[in-house]
Amino acid sequence: MKNKVLILLAIFALGLVSCKKENFSPSQDQYKSVSKDAGTYRLSHWMEDIYKDRQETPLNEIVIPGAHDAATYKISMDNDWARDAAWYKKLGGKRPAYFWSFTTRKSIYELLEIGVRDFDLRIEHNDNGYFSYHGLQSTPLSEIIDDYARFIHAHPKEIVIIELRCDEMDQHEYEHVLGEFLMQVGKSKVLAQTHGLYPNSPIGDYWKDGKSLLIHCDRNAVINGVYALKDTYMGTWAQSDYANNVMEYLYNHIKTRPMDKFYSSGFCQTPSASSIVGGAFEHPKSLEDLVCHPSKYGAVDTKADEWLPKIKQIAEENGKKLNIVTVDFPEFDNLSKKIVDMNLK
């Protein structure tokens, strides 16, 4: 009897571990999807595979997974505070700040491999160099750019968009970061304002010109140079604790989205005091806890299966197209693949 109890306890514990890993670890099926029209595609090559026979499709009418606060996977409680840390410090030190700072477990390269093609990238500079950040400092810029460069040179038909934030950089620092991208990725791969390609240009035109990386400069950037694209990117952002309000906001704005810009629908919920303490009165202890437990806290990300088709329908009913879908933890529950699947006919 004692042995049976021990066996049952072991099975139960294994089930808990498996459940946790299953949501974040991709199965072999994650790397392919079958449609009678699109055939089989590889997540690492999904733009090339899905649009090889639809090259006339405008790039800003393709449904693209986006990562909010990308490159936070190296945040730890030992890292230095970022310049934007005032709000996080109110949580009571680095330990609680850590749990509300990291938004992905994957590196930039790993996110690219699972289909993410749009990145909200926030960089700052200190005495130790340039780092990504979100409350706490995270990943060295050299590692981030190396990931982009490796992927882009191995996948020349995958178009990568970076919303390079400069909230915590001055003009000199911003131009340094831009220069590092140009040097390591290669100027021939980076779209310039003078190249005659726009958000609504066909993806086939990007392929013909060999342009794989688009760097959109932040709204507050003061830029000297043609490789930082301006006025090409627009995103909705609803500062709301309530998921339904966020979705109403997204529904209303997709109806009038500009068709000459890249357009991001942000399935993200900025944590605030009430969302942290309240949730669904279950007291989530981290951002991961808030967004990666379906039906537990009512966070935006957990309802993507329900809301994405609805947003796509509303857009099309109003003569618009769904474009970039920005989320926290795009690796959770095969979310990036579900977004890519919306490109299948």
Side-chain angles (χ1 to χ4, degrees), residues 20-295:
K20 184 70 173 177
K21 289 181 64 177
E22 180 183 350
N23 286 332
F24 283 95
S25 300
S27 65
Q28 290 301 313
D29 290 339
Q30 182 176 1
Y31 294 100
K32 62 183 181 179
S33 182
V34 179
S35 162
K36 67 178 181 180
D37 292 324
T40 300
Y41 77 80
R42 301 157 293 176
L43 266 179
S44 58
H45 296 71
W46 69 265
M47 286 183 166
E48 177 182 4
D49 290 348
I50 293 176
Y51 285 97
K52 61 186 176 183
D53 298 321
R54 296 154 61 187
Q55 296 186 30
E56 72 287 352
T57 307
L59 186 57
N60 70 350
E61 294 185 15
I62 292 174
V63 187
I64 297 172
H68 178 232
D69 287 313
T72 58
Y73 66 100
K74 280 199 168 180
I75 284 178
S76 79
M77 288 177 277
D78 296 326
N79 291 3
D80 292 336
W81 288 107
R83 294 183 193 173
D84 76 335
W87 183 88
Y88 295 86
K89 289 180 179 179
K90 294 178 182 179
L91 295 174
K94 287 186 178 179
R95 181 177 177 80
Y98 160 75
F99 289 109
W100 290 96
S101 295
F102 81 94
T103 59
T104 179
R105 296 182 178 193
K106 292 190 176 293
S107 69
I108 293 292
Y109 193 86
E110 290 171 327
L111 290 175
L112 287 161
E113 283 283 299
I114 64 167
V116 176
R117 297 291 180 268
D118 179 88
F119 296 82
D120 164 26
L121 189 62
R122 306 178 186 206
I123 304 294
E124 71 171 31
H125 178 253
N126 66 14
D127 293 340
N128 296 318
Y130 289 83
F131 296 85
S132 61
Y133 70 91
H134 188 214
L136 295 163
Q137 290 180 2
S138 180
T139 312
L141 177 64
S142 57
E143 181 177 325
I144 292 169
I145 297 181
D146 181 66
D147 278 359
Y148 284 120
R150 285 194 299 130
F151 182 86
I152 285 170
H153 285 282
H155 307 81
K157 290 189 174 180
E158 300 304 299
I159 313 299
V160 178
I161 303 169
I162 296 176
E163 184 187 4
L164 183 56
R165 302 290 297 273
C166 70
D167 305 52
E168 303 300 332
M169 290 190 287
D170 60 26
Q171 180 177 347
H172 171 75
E173 291 169 335
Y174 193 97
E175 289 180 350
H176 173 83
V177 172
L178 191 61
E180 290 295 308
F181 271 101
L182 293 173
M183 182 173 63
Q184 293 192 46
V185 176
K187 286 186 177 180
S188 64
K189 295 284 188 182
V190 184
L191 180 68
Q193 297 173 26
T194 56
H195 287 156
L197 292 172
Y198 305 98
N200 54 5
S201 295
I203 190 172
D205 289 357
Y206 283 90
W207 291 350
K208 289 175 187 175
D209 285 2
K211 304 306 174 192
S212 302
L213 181 62
L214 287 62
I215 302 176
H216 167 79
C217 70
D218 177 68
R219 58 193 177 277
N220 298 318
V222 180
I223 295 303
N224 199 0
V226 299
Y227 289 93
L229 307 178
K230 301 200 77 169
D231 303 319
T232 59
Y233 193 107
M234 180 178 178
T236 53
W237 189 252
Q239 296 288 354
S240 173
D241 293 333
Y242 305 102
N244 289 335
N245 289 356
V246 175
M247 289 313 304
E248 182 179 357
Y249 185 87
L250 295 179
Y251 288 155
N252 289 335
H253 281 75
I254 194 69
K255 297 175 183 178
T256 57
R257 66 151 287 197
M259 294 306 296
D260 61 343
K261 299 180 187 296
F262 295 111
Y263 187 82
S264 172
S265 297
F267 280 69
C268 308
Q269 183 165 313
T270 300
S272 66
S274 57
S275 63
I276 292 173
V277 175
F281 302 102
E282 297 181 54
H283 309 294
K285 294 180 174 60
S286 69
L287 183 60
E288 184 179 20
D289 205 17
L290 182 67
V291 303
C292 295
H293 291 82
S295 302

